[in-house]
Amino acid sequence: MTTPYPPPPPPPARGQDRTTLWGVLGIVLGLICCGILGIIFGYLSIRDARRYGQSPLLGYLAIVFGVINIIGGAILRATGNYPFWNND
């Protein structure tokens, strides 16, 4: 007579997976206002994606948009075309 197998153990607690939150915040802030914050939130998204086995795509996009924001802002300031920049 065979005994049935015991049920598998429950999966480990995942904790707070904020991969998507950090990635979306990084993309929005990187595109609109703060390139540095976009890069920081992108890094946090990639870190959580590795920790929880998610895709790091949003984190990479946030970093790219943050860098584009910083470079674009520097070019606009250097050429004197930055909006709301008072050159008087």
Side-chain angles (χ1 to χ4, degrees), residues 14-67:
R14 291 193 56 178
Q16 294 292 331
D17 181 10
R18 294 188 175 113
T19 303
T20 305
L21 172 70
W22 297 135
V24 170
L25 277 173
I27 289 171
V28 169
L29 291 174
L31 280 175
I32 294 177
C33 68
C34 308
I36 303 261
L37 287 177
I39 293 171
I40 291 170
F41 285 131
Y43 168 76
L44 292 174
S45 177
I46 292 171
R47 183 194 67 181
D48 278 358
R50 288 182 182 156
R51 183 180 296 164
Y52 296 110
Q54 302 289 331
S55 171
L57 178 65
L58 289 176
Y60 290 131
L61 287 174
I63 290 174
V64 167
F65 290 142
V67 169

Side-chain angles (χ1 to χ4, degrees), residues 68-80 82:
I68 289 172
N69 185 321
I70 291 171
I71 292 171
I75 291 171
L76 288 174
R77 284 187 181 114
T79 60
Y82 195 76

